[in-house]
Amino acid sequence: MVGAIQDATTMAAGVGDLVNGLSPDWGPFGELGTKARMVVQVMMAAVVMILFGMAIWGAWQIRVGNSQQNTMDVKQGKVLVMSALAGLFLVASMSTIFGIVFGMGV
């Protein structure tokens, strides 16, 4: 079981990049120039910050909705938080997705 986990971690290109920050310099991004790589890094960081802002805004709506007993605000807050978390998951897993697709030659 441990070997399978290590193999899956090895196959997931860019896992270390996600831990160390958004620096796409693997797979299809490895052939980009430094300026293009910087643009990709900035775009990924901007998307992450926007999604964090959406999650915070949704949490605030949940808090206000609960205090005022307004179920519509609570529902909108839940939708914002869940969509922001789903977006963050997608952005964070882009390195793995791109690595797998690039590795398959698709």
Side-chain angles (χ1 to χ4, degrees):
M1 183 68 176
V2 174
I5 293 173
Q6 288 175 346
D7 291 340
T9 305
T10 304
M11 288 186 346
V15 171
D17 291 337
L18 287 177
V19 174
N20 297 328
L22 299 171
S23 57
D25 55 355
W26 39 262
F29 297 115
E31 298 173 8
L32 293 176
T34 56
K35 290 184 180 181
R37 198 174 303 144
M38 181 65 73
V39 169
V40 171
Q41 290 173 354
V42 168
M43 286 175 43
M44 288 175 75
V47 168
V48 166
M49 295 307 293
I50 290 169
L51 291 172
F52 273 133
M54 282 178 55
I56 291 170
W57 180 260
W60 179 80
Q61 276 190 328
I62 292 171
R63 172 90 174 172
V64 169
N66 279 335
S67 67
Q68 296 177 353
Q69 298 187 2
N70 186 349
T71 58
M72 288 302 291
D73 278 345
V74 172
K75 187 175 280 191
Q76 286 177 344
K78 287 180 182 179
V79 168
L80 272 175
V81 169
M82 292 307 295
S83 62
L85 292 178
L88 284 170
F89 175 76
L90 288 175
V91 169
S93 63
M94 279 175 55
S95 64
T96 303
I97 293 169
F98 286 159
I100 291 170
V101 170
F102 185 72
M104 290 187 329
V106 175

